[in-house]
């Protein structure tokens, strides 16, 4: 049972345009969502997060949107740069109640390629 | 510089041997985690530890063991009982409080010959 899904294995975008990466989840108890960026043979790097009390969070070129009713979140990168080419993972956790210890459930990842 | 150090980067072992992967952090984080990544898949949680001398099984703990004798260290042993141990192993840590991100090391790639 995959609770976090990234249905697009790959995305190709031109430099300077917007990249939109999508993620769907099924567990309504998830209340904290994160995006990580990963290069081959390296560990994931934390990009941005959002808690379920918000519907949008921005950090520079990165914006995460959360639609709780649709159980959907997206990461927007504007403008996209060739250095953004990597695998992007969304992740989610249940925090309310204080027993989850921050355990993350990850999606399968989306390979983003930004062409010069 | 604070961070998470995993060693070695690449590890080769014969079938039937136990092997221990090292993870050290100097971020003063309370919680530590081990994940496994297989090609085309997301990360799956093996074990996690909230405090010293305490740890819990994750989603795929069978064939693995851990210890947490020091706050800074969370070694993972891949035992001979793990049926498909070849994978990329990632260690992470966090402050352990709610709504905090995890930060990852650069991983160890384990190959069984």
């Amino acid at each position: 049972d995959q609770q976090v899904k990234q249905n697009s294995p790959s995305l190709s975008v031109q430099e300077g345009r917007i990249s939109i990466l999508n993620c769907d989840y099924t567990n309504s108890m998830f209340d904290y969502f994160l995006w990580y960026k990963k290069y081959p043979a390296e560990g994931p790097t934390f990009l941005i997060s959002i808690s379920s009390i918000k519907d949008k969070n921005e950090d520079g070129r990165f914006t995460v949107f959360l639609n709780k009713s649709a159980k959907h979140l997206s990461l927007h990168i504007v403008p996209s740069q060739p250095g953004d080419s990597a695998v992007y993972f969304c992740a989610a956790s249940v925090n309310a109640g204080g027993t989850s210890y921050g355990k993350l459930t990850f999606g399968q990842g989306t390979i983003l390629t930004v062409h010069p | 510089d604070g961070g998470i150090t995993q060693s070695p980067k690449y590890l080769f072992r014969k079938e039937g041997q136990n092997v221990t992967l090292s993870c050290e952090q100097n971020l003063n984080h309370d919680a530590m985690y081990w994940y496994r990544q297989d090609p085309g898949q997301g990360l799956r949680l093996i074990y996690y530890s909230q405090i010293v001398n305490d740890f819990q099984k994750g989603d795929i703990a069978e064939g693995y063991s851990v210890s947490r004798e020091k706050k800074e260290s969370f070694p993972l042993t891949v035992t001979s009982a793990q049926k498909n141990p070849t994978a990329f192993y990632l260690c992470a840590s966090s402050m352990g409080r709610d709504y905090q991100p995890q930060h990852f090391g650069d991983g160890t790639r384990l190959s069984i010959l």
Side-chain angles (χ1 to χ4, degrees), chain A residues 83-98:
Chain A
D84 295 329
S85 298
V87 180
Y88 288 79
F89 290 97
C90 66
S93 67
V94 177
N95 289 268

Side-chain angles (χ1 to χ4, degrees), chain B residues 26-74:
Chain B
N26 60 4
L27 299 167
N28 199 31
H29 283 169
D30 289 316
M32 297 186 74
Y33 311 81
W34 274 104
Y35 292 89
R36 168 183 172 138
Q37 186 189 16
D38 294 285
Q41 295 193 35
L43 282 67
R44 293 183 291 168
L45 183 64
I46 305 172
Y47 266 99
Y48 61 103
S49 168
Q50 180 75 349
I51 56 172
V52 174
N53 292 324
D54 186 46
F55 48 83
Q56 288 79 36
K57 292 181 179 179
D59 300 319
I60 54 166
E62 186 175 350
Y64 299 98
S65 66
V66 292
S67 63
R68 187 88 187 274
E69 296 176 2
K70 298 187 301 182
K71 186 175 183 178
E72 304 78 21
S73 178
F74 191 40

Side-chain angles (χ1 to χ4, degrees), chain A residues 53-83:
Chain A
I53 62 172
K54 294 185 172 183
D55 55 17
K56 177 182 172 182
N57 190 27
E58 282 183 81
D59 185 0
R61 297 187 296 115
F62 302 93
T63 303
V64 57
F65 294 92
L66 176 62
N67 182 334
K68 289 188 290 294
S69 60
K71 294 191 177 69
H72 177 84
L73 69 153
S74 60
L75 175 68
H76 293 210
I77 306 174
V78 183
S80 301
Q81 299 172 353

Side-chain angles (χ1 to χ4, degrees), chain A residues 43, chain B residues 2-9 11 19-35 45-49 52 65-78 89-94 102-108:
Chain B
I4 301 169
T5 301
Q6 290 188 245
S7 60
K9 184 79 171 170
L11 194 52
V19 60
T20 297
L21 282 60
S22 169
C23 178
E24 304 276 334
Q25 55 98 359
N26 60 4
L27 299 167
N28 199 31
H29 283 169
D30 289 316
M32 297 186 74
Y33 311 81
W34 274 104
Y35 292 89
L45 183 64
I46 305 172
Y47 266 99
Y48 61 103
S49 168
V52 174
S65 66
V66 292
S67 63
R68 187 88 187 274
E69 296 176 2
K70 298 187 301 182
K71 186 175 183 178
E72 304 78 21
S73 178
F74 191 40
L76 172 74
T77 297
V78 185
Y89 290 88
L90 287 155
C91 177
S93 70
S94 77
Q102 291 177 23
H103 299 277
F104 286 81
D106 277 340
T108 293

